[in-house]
Amino acid sequence: MTAADPRPGPAQTQLPNRMQAFSQAFADFIPTAWAPYPEPAGQPLAAAAWTPQRRRRLRQQFPGERLVAPAGPLKVRSNDTDHRYRPHSAFAHLSGLGTDQEPDAVLVLEPGDDDCRLYFHPRAPRTDPEFYASSRYGEMWVGPRPSLAEMTALTGLPTRDLSQLEEDLDSATPIRVLREADPAVTAAVDRIRGRAEVEADQAWAVACSELRLIKDDFEVAQLEDACAATATAFEAVVAALPQALGGSRGERWLEGVFGLHARHLGNAVGYDSIVAAGDHACTLHWIRNDGDLDRSDLLLLDAGVELDSLYTADVTRSLPLSGRFSPAQRQIYQAVWEAQAAGIAAARPGALFSDVHDAAIAVIAGHLADWGLLPVSLEEALSPDGGQFRRWMAHGTSHHLGLDVHDCAQARQENYRQGRLAPGMVITVEPGLYFKATDLLAPEPFRGVGVRIEDDILITADGNRNLSADLPSLLDQVESWMAEVWQR
Ligand code: GLY
Ligand code: MN
Ligand code: MN
């Protein structure tokens, strides 16, 4: 069931080969006798109070320039079926728009004091064939789209029709564009400038990423809410475990349970959930999630609810499917828990971002040494020329978290990996140990066991606050929590 997919604009109405043409009689009849659209509600997004200061801070870095932040186009999933729309995170951050708003929109920051414009496809009148014939943009297919006035009421931003964008950009003012957000807008800006100014554009992308290193109070509140929703969804997964254990492809069942709650409480999952039982937990990005569940195994669940504002949590718990850890599982779990505790203790203002990883890794490597698994001394393994412990923990311990699960991805090394932690930053602390079933160095009872514990940590003025602490992570607390959920 699809109608024409006009590209690039909504006004074209080529029909797909399976669809009957619309008659003139239909075109005359369809615009008649509809109730008027309601007046713009005037209720702004909660984020709209925070976006002017974000834009101001960016504008100050590029005086006299025009800065372009596209939301990005719809992306094809298959033939004429698109993925559910999600705007580019920089656009969401600067406009306040979340959920599926707004395909093809472009935010333009002008050099003046909070002078900016939001360009987008406003709702077409019902006399326009888009209304009934466009499955990508038409009201009959995707619901009523906002008018220019409604979008202004929502975001507090002046709005213009997208068709005017290229003409408006075409002036002597220097322009920068987020190149990766929308290839069509990048091409238009390059055309206007007469060349691709990749380095200048990259500096703009870096600034957008670095602006998000420190979250404002609205963002912190969103991340708190995302963690609360994620805790609810984790508990629903625990409640569903007995049913999932009884059927085939239990990992998929649990992925569905988490996804149900993510869609109900928020916008979606913030990334594909990792639902990994037994040896699958040793595949770091196991998202196929098609395995059966065995009561003797651990389940590694790495999942996060993304709210309608698009802020996401990123939490991992490793749960015994029987409700009780085996002795080997306890040993590995306790080592990871201690590593996480060391990492969280190191996550303080003024510390280096890399201190968190170093603290966690020292504990991980220490346990590997105690178990006789390292082929070299502990000191050698921890030296820059060593790293043998990475056989059992190949990933980093932390990343910034926010609108993107791996937030601030374009921030410079000196402000990220080699940078210092500061109040308002939110990072994950997520050490793990993974003993593959095929690992002949691992003691037999360790094989096929993977453990990760991941929490979302807000750096505060005097230390930190664990935003995902509602979910138990101590060994005994995990067991008693699962038993309590199953008794309900
Ligand atoms: N869920 C991906 C990560 O933990 O980074
Ligand atoms: Mn993570
Ligand atoms: Mn994760």
Side-chain angles (χ1 to χ4, degrees):
M1 189 180 70
T2 55
D5 275 343
R7 295 164 202 244
Q12 301 164 33
T13 51
Q14 279 176 353
L15 294 178
N17 54 9
R18 63 189 174 284
M19 198 166 180
Q20 194 182 348
F22 293 101
S23 69
Q24 187 56 48
F26 174 84
D28 293 340
F29 170 62
I30 191 69
T32 63
W34 300 101
Y37 292 105
E39 289 298 308
Q43 192 60 258
L45 292 164
W50 297 87
T51 56
Q53 69 190 43
R54 298 174 191 165
R55 295 191 295 267
R56 193 173 313 122
R57 288 179 57 195
L58 286 174
R59 198 183 280 103
Q60 283 164 355
Q61 296 178 52
F62 303 97
E65 299 194 40
R66 176 174 281 149
L67 305 165
V68 180
L74 287 156
K75 294 189 176 75
V76 174
R77 181 179 185 277
S78 151
N79 183 23
D80 56 359
T81 308
D82 295 317
H83 287 281
R84 183 178 289 129
Y85 184 71
R86 185 194 188 280
H88 189 279
S89 293
F91 173 87
H93 192 232
L94 299 175
S95 69
L97 290 167
T99 56
D100 55 356
Q101 290 174 304
E102 181 62 50
D104 306 320
V106 181
L107 181 66
V108 179
L109 278 57
E110 295 288 340
D113 190 24
D114 203 24
D115 180 8
C116 55
R117 280 190 292 275
L118 179 60
Y119 293 82
F120 73 106
H121 292 304
R123 181 171 63 232
R126 289 168 177 133
T127 47
D128 190 313
E130 176 189 308
F131 175 60
Y132 52 86
S134 167
S135 65
R136 275 192 144 184
Y137 300 97
E139 180 174 336
M140 285 210 159
W141 297 87
V142 298
R145 300 160 48 73
S147 67
L148 292 173
E150 284 165 1
M151 188 60 99
T152 293
L154 196 63
T155 60
L157 294 165
T159 48
R160 300 198 80 170
D161 193 303
L162 187 62
S163 60
Q164 293 176 276
L165 175 71
E166 211 164 325
E167 188 185 327
D168 286 1
L169 292 182
D170 199 2
S171 77
T173 309
I175 316 179
R176 298 179 196 246
V177 62
L178 294 178
R179 297 192 73 78
E180 86 286 4
D182 188 331
V185 177
T186 301
V189 170
D190 286 349
R191 220 169 21 247
I192 288 162
R193 295 187 297 205
R195 62 187 178 278
E197 295 185 12
V198 176
E199 273 185 32
D201 292 339
Q202 180 58 18
W204 164 227
V206 166
C208 287
S209 243
E210 292 188 347
L211 178 67
R212 306 209 311 264
L213 283 168
I214 293 180
K215 272 62 185 175
D216 58 37
D217 290 351
F218 173 82
E219 296 181 285
V220 171
Q222 291 299 304
L223 288 166
E224 286 171 335
D225 290 352
C227 286
T230 298
T232 302
F234 264 73
E235 192 156 294
V237 169
V238 171
L241 278 177
Q243 189 182 6
L245 273 158
S248 64
R249 304 226 286 186
E251 291 177 348
R252 281 280 167 94
W253 189 265
L254 299 177
E255 178 188 350
V257 171
F258 191 91
L260 163 69
H261 288 267
R263 285 290 285 162
H264 186 237
L265 297 170
N267 183 52
V269 288
Y271 51 92
D272 286 328
S273 302
I274 297 169
V275 189
D279 194 43
H280 289 162
C282 303
T283 300
L284 298 177
H285 284 171
W286 176 257
I287 56 171
R288 192 178 300 144
N289 301 344
D290 63 354
D292 294 337
L293 306 180
D294 186 309
R295 286 175 62 80
S296 65
D297 282 335
L298 288 185
L299 174 81
L300 186 155
L301 175 61
D302 180 344
V305 174
E306 175 189 89
L307 300 181
D308 289 345
S309 61
L310 305 181
Y311 289 85
T312 188
D314 177 12
V315 177
T316 306
R317 289 293 182 268
S318 300
L319 308 168
L321 286 168
S322 67
R324 308 285 291 189
F325 291 93
S326 72
Q329 291 165 353
R330 283 187 92 82
Q331 217 180 338
I332 298 165
Y333 189 102
Q334 182 62 23
V336 173
W337 189 92
E338 289 170 16
Q340 199 210 24
I344 292 174
R348 304 182 58 80
L352 290 168
F353 177 87
S354 56
D355 289 346
V356 180
H357 180 67
D358 292 348
I361 276 300
V363 176
I364 291 285
H367 281 287
L368 290 168
D370 291 347
W371 294 332
L373 296 183
L374 291 179
V376 296
S377 71
L378 177 58
E379 293 67 34
E380 204 175 329
L382 288 171
S383 74
D385 293 332
Q388 289 82 352
F389 55 82
R390 295 177 82 168
R391 177 179 175 122
W392 297 285
M393 181 183 152
H395 59 79
T397 303
S398 297
H399 54 81
H400 282 267
L401 180 71
L403 284 165
D404 291 327
V405 62
H406 297 157
D407 210 32
C408 314
Q410 315 231 33
R412 289 163 290 186
Q413 280 273 350
E414 60 265 38
N415 294 322
Y416 199 128
R417 225 186 87 69
Q418 294 153 9
R420 292 198 180 273
L421 297 176
M425 290 182 172
V426 178
I427 62 168
T428 64
V429 182
E430 51 175 307
L433 272 170
Y434 313 91
F435 297 98
K436 291 170 106 46
T438 50
D439 188 344
L440 301 182
L441 290 183
E444 181 79 36
F446 282 20
R447 293 184 198 165
V449 179
V451 172
R452 177 162 64 254
I453 310 172
E454 176 173 26
D455 282 284
D456 301 341
I457 306 297
L458 168 69
I459 308 300
T460 59
D462 56 0
N464 65 55
R465 184 154 60 85
N466 185 344
L467 303 182
S468 45
D470 280 355
L471 281 171
S473 67
L474 277 167
L475 271 170
D476 293 346
Q477 288 179 3
V478 169
E479 288 182 349
S480 48
W481 169 56
M482 293 177 73
E484 193 249 304
V485 171
W486 287 346
Q487 269 164 18
R488 279 182 205 157

